[in-house]
């Protein structure tokens, strides 16, 4: 048990990616790794995909096209959002969300 606790504490991102992949595989398919998430975070320069606020350790991984709407769990369908933006987006269409935030005309 102690070994498991130590491993889990040291590998939180890896375990979270595994859990997301497992859930998504049951629904839509596609795979991503914790390395993919770090690369997405770096590509977004550590900022929310919508409001551009600087993210620290607390952020949400969002499926651009929600799994409920036929999206995949593939890296190309992922973005990192702040908690507030992810909650407000929910399973809405990404174009509608961008328009409501004033990002599109």
């Amino acid at each position: 048990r102690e070994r498991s606790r130590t491993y889990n504490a040291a590998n939180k991102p890896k375990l979270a990616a595994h859990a997301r992949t497992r859930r998504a595989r049951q629904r839509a398919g596609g795979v991503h790794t914790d390395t993919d998430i770090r690369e997405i975070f770096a590509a977004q320069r550590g900022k929310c995909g919508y409001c551009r606020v600087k993210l620290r350790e607390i952020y949400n991984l969002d499926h651009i096209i929600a799994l409920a709407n036929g999206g995949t769990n593939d890296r190309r369908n992922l973005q990192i959002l702040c908690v507030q933006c992810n909650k407000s987006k929910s399973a809405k269409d990404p174009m509608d969300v961008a328009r409501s935030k004033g990002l599109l005309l």
Side-chain angles (χ1 to χ4, degrees), residues 29-32 63 72-78:
V31 177
H32 67 274
H63 293 89
T72 67
N73 196 38
D74 192 63
R75 175 189 172 142
R76 292 170 291 161
N77 191 38
L78 300 175

Side-chain angles (χ1 to χ4, degrees), residues 19-30 63 67 72-73:
R20 281 189 302 272
T21 300
R22 183 173 175 268
R23 282 191 307 269
R25 208 176 316 132
Q26 294 170 345
R27 293 184 182 180
H63 293 89
L67 296 175
T72 67
N73 196 38

